[in-house]
Amino acid sequence: MTGLSRRHLFGWAGAGAALAGVGAVAGCSATAERPALSGAESVVPFRGRHQAGIVTPAQDRLHFVALDLTTDNRERVIGLLEKWTAAAERMVAGAETTPGGAVNRNPDAPPDDTGEALGLPASSLTLTFGVGAGLIEKLGLTDRMPPGLAPLPAFTGDQLDPATSGGDLCIQACSQDPQVAVHAVRNLVRMGFGTTAVRWSQLGFGRTSSTSTAQATPRNLFGFKDGTHNVKAEDGAELDRHVWVQPGDGPAWLDGGSYLVARRIRMHIEIWDRTSLSEQERIIGRDKGEGAPLGEQSEFDLADYTATGPTGEPVIPTIAHIRLASADNLGGVRILRRGYNFVDGSDGQGHLNAGLFFIAFLRDPHAQFVPMQSALANSDDLMEYIEHTGSAVFACPAGLGEGAYWGQSLLEG
Amino acid sequence: MTGLSRRHLFGWAGAGAALAGVGAVAGCSATAERPALSGAESVVPFRGRHQAGIVTPAQDRLHFVALDLTTDNRERVIGLLEKWTAAAERMVAGAETTPGGAVNRNPDAPPDDTGEALGLPASSLTLTFGVGAGLIEKLGLTDRMPPGLAPLPAFTGDQLDPATSGGDLCIQACSQDPQVAVHAVRNLVRMGFGTTAVRWSQLGFGRTSSTSTAQATPRNLFGFKDGTHNVKAEDGAELDRHVWVQPGDGPAWLDGGSYLVARRIRMHIEIWDRTSLSEQERIIGRDKGEGAPLGEQSEFDLADYTATGPTGEPVIPTIAHIRLASADNLGGVRILRRGYNFVDGSDGQGHLNAGLFFIAFLRDPHAQFVPMQSALANSDDLMEYIEHTGSAVFACPAGLGEGAYWGQSLLEG
């Protein structure tokens, strides 16, 4: 080694300052609910009442990984979770996994950090941790199994591939810079060798949801604005009602946490692209340009599901996606969506393998996701253009207090 | 439709201005050699002496697609190339494929533009077009086959998958915003239905090369800076020597163009990550933190391949990657690299499916890429950690004058 890199210096100075800052706000219960900046330099606090990466304003890029345990040794898993937590807190602050870890002092040892994020700023990285039913079973903790991890029912039209479904635990990495997100996942995966193995992994190149009123609504690969009425960081009591697990919902270790439902949704974009504009708008229930509910003027105008046209038919068709998924149609059910567009190469049949990696955070998958997805799978015309090819549910514990590690409330609570 | 979207407005006003700007500089032969800005709003000129996306400062994100012709009808192919060129010029300027094309005036027709880039700025999008040997053969133009499209030899260790190799033509989309790159490829693919079909497609999330002295050198997934001495936009006569096809090199239709060599290189990152820092540095020939050649202080210091250590061994090992790939070792051969890091999910064996999508532009694949890759494949210790799984060569014609379309010099020259 001939000198200190920029990142190396930053690892000592900048990360120290950032970590000090984390310590200073750890006692502030609202930390994770305060929208963060989106600039490359911005650091999202790692500890707080809730995990970051849920109501944090959705970053532009995603790397999501589901892993399986390759051991049932609880102490070994705890050891990994402690190491992961320390490394995650450092990486979120823009540092290497260990101080100077990419160009360590012992040249005869492998570097602690793989190095591809050297010189890159924190880039609003968040790392969100969740456990699946498999981890709880393998570690003999079934008395602590939260009810939301009960298997989802099969939905009409599901084409789930076991290879891209399930998993004993998950890490969601979101960042403004995909290299930063990939670096984080890769280093955590690496630290897990011998204890965990990658089950599946998904990159998302573009966010499809806003989780703060400060963000413009993005577009999915059908070209429509999506999630206009998403649950957002500023929604206060609605978050407790729809997103955060409340005391009494299940075992106490998950209080203040949230369930993560992931669905890999392949979109048959070439079929959609042959559909007329008016048909596309009828299927979605919004106009394509502005994103206004049919019959309204602006994106955030409320949909009028009772309005009828000149011949008496509903202005917003009865099978329109926004009607089926609306709280009105579902007895008040809402979810926080945080999905990403993906293209995974080609499908071998002349098309792009493209779609939406759906992620939702919610208080109860069976009371929220299941009725919503049932309504969509049974009635939604959109189902002609999509195919659910992967599915997983994870329980994401509350945020960490000072000194705590990922999963501690489950493993030691 | 209830109103004009921002992009829609921009499509008329902004794109008009941008297209006017393109017209104004089309006669300037150095257009494509002038480094462009990298901000979201910046527009890279579409027409010029050379195609954009070669010496254009490498954008951060990539979507590359290889297509096969599904017809041998030359007129039909010309019709598509004309449509592609018009749409590409508009998209590069930040507009839809046709004026107002995402929310067209006839609601009973499918929209011309798929819409997911509505509201997004030009983001330095470049679209670079190339033809493979298959197109020339299928259209009965073998008398115009350029010598550089002769098949590459098999290299030691090649594990090429036909499904991610070859192709009758290619489009390289580079942008600061992956949604903009994906939108462009998706819309061109869509316009090709009935004439072309996707053969393979690759997303790259992070650039691994600089093509301008104004850019910092990025890092590959081995954590090392890559391409410090890449051929760059500012290199003047070196570009004519190493990158641009010169009169007399082959059929005149390719004069001023360049060959594109693509190699999908899977990296076995988990094996690399178990290698000591000193061994990693010996294999590469640079230190990891600064990127300086071994024995030197700074990244851009010249490597001294004659220097020896205390026991007489070369400071830069004889099998070091930078020595094997150096112009010194290859009789003066240099190439312009423009590759990207990728992660394509997992490999089904507990690991990430990660690597480098290598792209090089050069004057003669057989005089430049073949000797370089032969030297690397036969001697490079790095080969223990990588596997070439895809390969393709395309001929990218010179840039377009006003009114010309992609491939015109080949099809009508």
Side-chain angles (χ1 to χ4, degrees), chain A residues 88-113:
Chain A
E89 184 163 19
R90 289 186 53 82
M91 289 191 288
V92 161
E96 297 142 296
T97 53
T98 60
V103 285
N104 54 316
R105 299 299 159 80
N106 176 6
D108 296 328
D112 287 339
D113 184 289

Side-chain angles (χ1 to χ4, degrees), chain A residues 177-178, chain B residues 59-63 173-178 204-206 340:
Chain A
D177 184 337
Chain B
Q59 300 94 325
D60 288 342
R61 322 291 168 220
L62 168 81
H63 190 185
C174 300
S175 173
Q176 300 299 77
D177 185 336
F205 65 78
Y340 286 83

Side-chain angles (χ1 to χ4, degrees), chain A residues 107 186 190 221 273 278 296, chain B residues 2 107 186 190 221 273 278:
Chain A
R186 182 250 189 110
R190 178 193 177 208
L221 292 183
D273 289 347
S278 58
E296 310 300 329
Chain B
T2 58
R186 183 251 189 108
R190 177 191 179 211
L221 292 183
D273 289 346
S278 58

